[in-house]
Amino acid sequence: MAFKEVIKRIRSRWMEGAGAQSDVVISSRVRLARNIQGIPFPHLISKEDADKVIQKMEKAIKAIGEKDLPSLTVTSLSELDALQKQILVEKHLISPLLLEKDQKAAVALTDEEEISVMINEEDHLRIQCILPALQLHEAWQIANQLDDDLEKQLDFGFDDKFGYVTACPTNAGTGMRASVMLHLPGLIMTKRAGRVLPALSKVGLVVRGLYGEGTEALGNLFQISNQITMGRSEEEVISNLAGVTQKIVDHEREARTVLKKELGIHLEDKLWRSYGTLRYARLIKTETALSLLSQVRLGVDMNIIKGLDPRVMTELMVMMQPGCLQYIMGQEMDAGMRDVYRARLLRERLKIDNT
Amino acid sequence: MYCQNCKERPAAVHITKIVNGEKSELKLCQECAAKVQGETFNWEPHFSLNNLLSSLFEEADSTVSFAPRAGKQQERCNTCGLTYNHFRQTGKLGCNDCYQTFKSQLSPVIRRIHGSDDHTGKIPQRSGETLQVKKKIEQLKGTLKELVQQEEFEKAAKARDEIKQLEEKM
C-alpha cells in the first residue's frame, strides 16, 4: 500500500498499540521534571550553562549504557530543520515550548520513541515515557528506572521538605505528571461528558480537549492528568488516575451500548457516511478529518465497520497534520495543497481490506 | 477574486494589518471578515497559570506579613540573584537554592496549590541521602521511646548508639 513504508519511518511506538482498553484509551504517559544542582533553571540559563546541561546529559547516557532500557540519542534542536521539529511536536514527543528555547534546547530519544527527554525546556530535564493503551504503571516503571539510572550520574536538585525542585512550584514535589489520552465519542454523542468529566477535579485530576481550544474537544479526544504533585506518592497518583480512567472507560462503553440500542440503523448510517466522506473526499481540512476519523474509529471499535485496523486511525490522526503530511508527500505545501494531499492520504489508508 | 479564507464566496472586504512595521493584506468575504474581526484586536488576556500564581502570593503575603513588605519584595536569592518580586511576577523560581531562600513565602503558596507542602514521594538515592538518614533517625527515636517504656534497656542502648552514629554521619 502506498505511503505505508514512509509512515513506518516516522511512526512512534505509542501509535502502534493494541492493548488493555485500547477501544477507549489511546495512550498513557508519565513525565518527570528534574533539575541539576548548581545551574540556574532554563528561563534564567546562559548559553554556556545550557550547553553544560546537554553535555552532562550526554555523558550520563553514555555511562548508563544499554542495561535494562533501550539507549537514548541526544540531538540538539539546532541540528534539526523546521520540518523535523514540527513532526516531533505533532507526535507529542516534544512541546512547543521546547522549540522556543531553540539554541539552548535538545532532545534525547530512543529508537522506538517510547522514551523522550526534553533538555532545557521549563526544567533541565523532562523525562517522558509514552506507551499505547492503558499502561500507566508500565510507563511509570520505565520513567522511574531511567530516573534512577540518571540519578547515579547527575546531582538532581532535591529539597528535604519540598521534594524535587522545579522552576514552577506547581510541579515541585514528585515532579510527576501522568496522563491518559481518551477517545470519548459515546459520552459526547449521548451528551453525558458534562456530567462525568467535571467531577474529576474533585479527585485532583484535570481534563482538557487534546485538540481545539476551550471547551471544544476536536475528534472527541481528551487528556486527563494529575494536578497535584505534592503530599502524595507517585504510586498513589498513578493508581488514582488508572482507577478513574477505568471508570470513564466503563461509562464510555455503556454510552456506546445505549447509542447502538437507541439509534440502531441511524447510528450505522451516520458512521458509514463519515467513512464515505473520508474514503472519497478530494479536499479535507484537519478539523473535519479529525471529527470524521473519530466517527470511523467508533464504527471500528463497535464492530460496525469491519476490515479496518483501529491502529491506522491513531496513526492517521498524527500523520495528517501539516508537518507529517509534508514529510510523507516529500514536498513543501501551503494550506490549500495540504487539504488536497490530506484527502489523498486518508483515501489510501482507509481502503478496506477484503482479502 | 474569491475570499482567501473560505475560497467559496467572493471577496468583499479588504483588511490591511501593520504589525511591527510588517504589512499584511487579506481579501475576505463578509462572513469570514466578521469572524476575523474579533481576532484583529491587539490584545491578549494575560490570564495564565503564572497570573493565577501571583494572586495566590498576594493572599499569602497578607497572611504572613510581620516583616515590612517592601523589604521582603527585595529579598534576593544569593545563588541566582532572583528577587522575590520577580518570582511573584513570573511564578517561576530561579534555581535549587530559591526553595530555601523563599521557604517561608513558598510554603503557603504550595499548600494552596497542592493541599500540602510536604513531599511524600520518591527520594533520590544520592541527593536525598541526608534526608534518608534523617528519616531513619526519627524512626529510631520513636523505637527508642517505646523500648524505654517497655524497660528493654539493653535494646534501647543499642538504638541510642545507632542514633548517635547516624547523627555523627550527618
Side-chain angles (χ1 to χ4, degrees):
Chain A
M1 199 186 276
F3 307 131
K4 204 173 172 180
E5 288 308 308
V6 197
I7 288 174
K8 231 184 224 167
R9 266 184 264 149
I10 51 168
R11 192 162 57 189
S12 309
R13 183 164 146 206
W14 72 263
M15 300 169 208
E16 293 177 27
Q21 284 35 298
S22 65
D23 57 329
V24 181
V25 187
I26 293 174
S27 64
S28 305
R29 161 158 66 167
V30 171
R31 195 207 65 199
L32 300 173
R34 298 289 184 260
N35 286 285
I36 295 167
Q37 277 175 25
I39 300 176
F41 295 150
H43 69 108
L44 293 180
I45 207 168
S46 65
K47 177 81 172 86
E48 290 76 42
D49 276 341
D51 287 342
K52 212 193 264 173
V53 173
I54 298 173
Q55 281 158 17
K56 275 177 186 278
M57 184 62 184
E58 279 173 333
K59 231 173 113 186
I61 287 170
K62 210 179 253 171
I64 294 166
E66 198 158 347
K67 278 190 307 188
D68 318 304
L69 297 174
S71 62
L72 288 154
T73 312
V74 180
T75 313
S76 72
L77 245 56
S78 51
E79 293 170 43
L80 299 172
D81 62 39
L83 188 63
Q84 289 172 311
K85 288 185 235 182
Q86 196 181 351
I87 289 173
L88 289 175
V89 174
E90 288 171 4
K91 293 196 282 184
H92 306 290
L93 299 174
I94 64 173
S95 66
L97 178 65
L98 190 79
L99 295 189
E100 285 173 31
K101 308 278 174 160
D102 197 42
Q103 296 296 316
K104 291 178 180 172
V107 59
L109 286 168
T110 55
D111 283 346
E112 296 202 315
E113 299 176 340
E114 74 275 46
I115 308 174
S116 69
V117 184
M118 287 192 276
I119 305 171
N120 293 329
E121 199 229 32
E122 188 180 288
D123 294 296
H124 291 147
L125 303 181
R126 286 279 173 96
I127 300 166
Q128 177 178 272
C129 177
I130 317 187
L131 295 175
L134 186 55
Q135 299 197 67
L136 278 170
H137 291 281
E138 292 81 355
W140 156 244
Q141 271 165 17
I142 293 174
N144 188 29
Q145 173 75 53
L146 179 60
D147 180 47
D148 282 344
D149 291 348
L150 287 172
E151 205 255 325
K152 292 193 182 95
Q153 312 296 328
L154 303 167
D155 295 316
F156 285 153
F158 185 84
D159 183 275
D160 286 2
K161 181 175 176 58
F162 297 128
Y164 287 100
V165 298
T166 53
C168 189
T170 49
N171 297 314
T174 59
M176 184 186 78
R177 197 75 65 200
S179 66
V180 284
M181 196 202 295
L182 304 178
H183 183 226
L184 305 174
L187 288 176
I188 296 294
M189 284 167 78
T190 54
K191 306 221 180 331
R192 290 297 180 273
R195 292 199 203 164
V196 176
L197 301 180
L200 296 181
S201 64
K202 292 189 182 127
V203 286
L205 300 176
V206 219
V207 58
R208 66 175 186 90
L210 189 67
Y211 300 110
E213 289 205 356
T215 47
E216 201 187 359
L218 275 176
N220 301 319
L221 293 163
F222 295 86
Q223 182 174 290
I224 296 173
S225 58
N226 65 301
Q227 178 86 306
I228 288 164
T229 57
M230 191 148 338
R232 294 187 199 175
S233 74
E234 290 84 350
E235 283 84 2
E236 277 176 83
V237 171
I238 297 272
S239 297
N240 178 26
L241 179 59
V244 169
T245 301
Q246 186 56 55
K247 282 265 151 50
I248 298 174
V249 169
D250 295 343
H251 277 94
E252 169 64 21
R253 285 183 184 151
E254 230 179 279
R256 292 179 188 182
T257 316
V258 170
L259 279 175
K260 198 169 193 169
K261 215 173 86 190
E262 303 269 318
L263 297 179
I265 188 78
H266 295 279
L267 178 70
E268 278 185 42
D269 181 62
K270 186 179 162 73
L271 304 184
W272 273 111
R273 276 170 187 267
S274 300
Y275 175 77
T277 306
L278 286 178
R279 182 67 187 80
Y280 293 102
R282 256 57 186 171
L283 267 176
I284 201 157
K285 288 195 184 303
T286 312
E287 296 77 31
T288 321
L290 269 175
S291 45
L292 292 174
L293 263 181
S294 165
Q295 307 272 308
V296 174
R297 190 191 187 103
L298 179 66
V300 173
D301 286 333
M302 289 179 75
N303 219 10
I304 290 172
I305 298 173
K306 296 183 182 105
L308 276 177
D309 188 341
R311 287 177 293 186
V312 172
M313 245 63 71
T314 310
E315 195 183 280
L316 281 173
M317 197 175 82
V318 177
M319 297 303 164
M320 68 181 189
Q321 292 178 63
C324 290
L325 190 66
Q326 293 181 68
Y327 177 87
I328 294 164
M329 300 301 166
Q331 57 178 309
E332 249 181 74
M333 294 181 254
D334 62 19
M337 235 168 119
R338 286 202 297 270
D339 293 348
V340 176
Y341 280 92
R342 180 173 301 114
R344 211 179 121 191
L345 175 73
L346 287 160
R347 285 203 304 275
E348 277 292 331
R349 296 293 290 144
L350 289 175
K351 277 182 188 159
I352 287 181
D353 219 354
N354 280 322
T355 52
Chain B
M1 183 74 205
Y2 283 98
C3 166
Q4 289 179 340
N5 187 44
C6 64
K7 300 181 183 77
E8 281 168 8
R9 293 173 287 265
V13 181
H14 193 149
I15 299 177
T16 309
K17 257 202 285 190
I18 299 171
V19 180
N20 297 331
E22 270 193 48
K23 198 170 147 188
S24 63
E25 292 184 26
L26 262 178
K27 296 186 181 71
L28 301 173
C29 67
Q30 293 286 5
E31 283 170 53
C32 290
K35 273 187 225 157
V36 168
Q37 205 85 74
E39 294 161 23
T40 52
F41 292 117
N42 217 340
W43 176 75
E44 277 292 321
H46 286 287
F47 189 76
S48 63
L49 184 65
N50 293 344
N51 276 113
L52 282 176
L53 270 181
S54 350
S55 69
L56 290 180
F57 283 114
E58 271 153 37
E59 279 188 53
D61 285 350
S62 60
T63 51
V64 280
S65 62
F66 23 86
R69 245 183 112 94
K72 235 174 71 181
Q73 308 263 348
Q74 295 308 314
E75 212 173 302
R76 188 179 282 276
C77 171
N78 284 331
T79 313
C80 66
L82 186 100
T83 61
Y84 178 59
N85 211 12
H86 185 87
F87 166 43
R88 275 189 42 161
Q89 280 162 11
T90 62
K92 276 185 192 161
L93 292 146
C95 69
N96 296 281
D97 296 338
C98 287
Y99 277 83
Q100 278 306 316
T101 315
F102 305 118
K103 191 172 185 172
S104 63
Q105 297 99 313
L106 260 176
S107 269
V109 174
I110 289 183
R111 269 202 303 276
R112 276 208 182 87
I113 301 169
H114 298 290
S116 159
D117 58 351
D118 282 305
H119 174 63
T120 52
K122 183 174 179 176
I123 298 169
Q125 294 265 311
R126 290 184 319 115
S127 325
E129 199 178 16
T130 53
L131 181 62
Q132 275 170 344
V133 175
K134 247 190 240 169
K135 289 214 162 150
K136 178 87 186 153
I137 291 173
E138 259 167 52
Q139 195 197 331
L140 278 170
K141 277 183 179 163
T143 321
L144 177 65
K145 220 174 172 181
E146 266 173 48
L147 288 171
V148 171
Q149 269 168 6
Q150 291 159 11
E151 302 191 356
E152 298 259 17
F153 296 116
E154 224 168 284
K155 283 185 191 162
K158 236 183 181 175
R160 191 200 54 211
D161 290 345
E162 210 177 320
I163 293 171
K164 229 180 180 176
Q165 255 181 11
L166 287 172
E167 276 174 343
E168 272 163 23
K169 217 167 121 185
M170 283 180 64

